[in-house]
Amino acid sequence: MENEAKRILIAEDEVNISNFVGRGLQDFGYDVTIVADGNAAWEELEKGEAYDLLLLDIRMPGLSGLEVCERFRQRFGYQTPVIMLTALCTTDDIVAGLHAGADDYQVKPFKFMELLARINAHIRRKGELKNEQVLSCCDLTLDPVTHKAIRANVEEYLSVKEYRLLEYFIRHQGEVLSRRQLLKNVWDKDFDTNTNIVDVYVRYLRTKIDAPFEKKLLRTIVGQGYMMVGGND
């Protein structure tokens, strides 16, 4: 079975949710470890044992899911996907979770099969990343393993969504990309069209890869969206 031997850590203080999700994942062949608070989650992660995905509740006793995620990214990097479980669904809450290093989020209440689909997709993408090559645009390079962007020998570490957004821009350099297109392909979601999450993350990227340099790679196309300049522009 494709999912066999894949390990998932669930950190959730609501026992009904953790047991429900845990049993469901075990039924689909996953090896599941469940803890009830952020401190226990971090103690488990500090052991250094390999997990294929982390499922973290944002609000739980001890360390919050955001704090656990931030510590995990700083200590262990970006190879393991992290999905946040949250009852919060405003743009600010989403940005906070993603900027902490999460790959995705699932708003409560949720259907198990929707969560399972997200888990399967992220674990599949984790496997694909091992074979990805360094990407480039002009004097900018992007490393899929370290999530590091390098421009003119200046290194910048990117959060998960900063990396995914920059990766998408580089793969589609020279193309005008609408906000809706970026939401669908980078966030894998259909957000409220009034959300400004794309603009927020474009600002983050510009601060890291454009602000220190004379040539700007990310351009705003008024009324249409954004474009990363092509290598010959």
Side-chain angles (χ1 to χ4, degrees):
M1 178 182 289
E2 183 183 14
N3 296 335
E4 199 167 31
K6 299 298 184 182
R7 301 187 65 208
I8 295 179
L9 175 66
I10 301 174
E12 168 62 68
D13 63 318
E14 295 185 50
V15 177
N16 290 340
I17 293 178
S18 61
N19 287 343
F20 166 69
V21 173
R23 285 194 301 268
L25 291 175
Q26 288 171 343
D27 288 342
F28 279 87
Y30 285 105
D31 181 2
V32 178
T33 298
I34 298 175
V35 295
D37 61 70
N39 292 337
W42 183 242
E43 289 175 5
E44 179 66 26
L45 293 170
E46 277 194 309
K47 296 176 183 177
E49 298 181 10
Y51 281 96
D52 294 285
L53 184 138
L54 310 183
L55 198 58
L56 307 176
D57 182 28
I58 285 186
R59 292 186 175 181
M60 55 184 169
L63 295 171
S64 70
L66 296 179
E67 292 170 319
V68 172
C69 185
E70 287 176 333
R71 288 190 181 189
F72 182 78
R73 291 307 189 205
Q74 291 170 3
R75 176 77 66 85
F76 300 105
Y78 289 86
Q79 293 304 293
T80 301
V82 177
I83 298 178
M84 293 289 188
L85 296 178
T86 178
L88 311 173
C89 59
T90 68
T91 297
D92 289 344
D93 296 324
I94 295 167
V95 169
L98 298 177
H99 213 55
D103 295 82
D104 204 351
Y105 74 97
Q106 181 69 62
V107 177
K108 304 175 186 176
F110 54 82
K111 294 181 179 179
F112 173 76
M113 294 306 294
E114 179 183 353
L115 176 62
L116 178 64
R118 293 190 183 283
I119 290 172
N120 289 340
H122 284 292
I123 288 181
R124 184 167 57 249
R125 178 173 172 77
K126 176 187 176 184
E128 293 170 352
L129 279 174
K130 295 178 181 178
N131 300 317
E132 287 193 6
Q133 303 298 313
V134 172
L135 302 173
S136 64
C137 177
C138 299
D139 59 346
L140 170 71
T141 60
L142 182 65
D143 190 325
V145 176
T146 63
H147 279 214
K148 186 188 299 180
I150 304 174
R151 187 172 183 192
N153 296 319
V154 177
E155 298 183 355
E156 290 284 355
Y157 286 93
L158 307 175
S159 70
V160 173
K161 277 299 182 280
E162 287 172 345
Y163 171 84
R164 290 285 304 278
L165 182 59
L166 183 54
E167 175 194 35
Y168 196 79
F169 273 127
I170 292 177
R171 291 189 184 279
H172 297 270
Q173 54 190 282
E175 300 177 23
V176 178
L177 304 173
S178 69
R179 290 171 177 81
R180 182 179 291 277
Q181 184 177 354
L182 292 169
L183 285 171
K184 181 178 180 181
N185 290 282
V186 176
W187 278 265
D188 303 314
K189 291 180 181 289
D190 291 321
F191 281 87
D192 183 328
T193 54
N194 292 321
T195 183
N196 67 339
I197 195 168
V198 170
D199 306 283
V200 169
Y201 271 84
V202 168
R203 285 200 300 271
Y204 290 156
L205 285 183
R206 281 175 164 160
T207 298
K208 293 184 175 183
I209 69 165
D210 265 353
F213 305 98
E214 181 177 354
K215 181 176 180 178
K216 308 305 179 186
L217 300 182
L218 289 175
R219 298 178 182 174
T220 299
I221 309 300
V222 178
Q224 298 183 62
Y226 297 100
M227 181 182 73
M228 171 162 274
V229 300
N232 298 321
D233 291 348

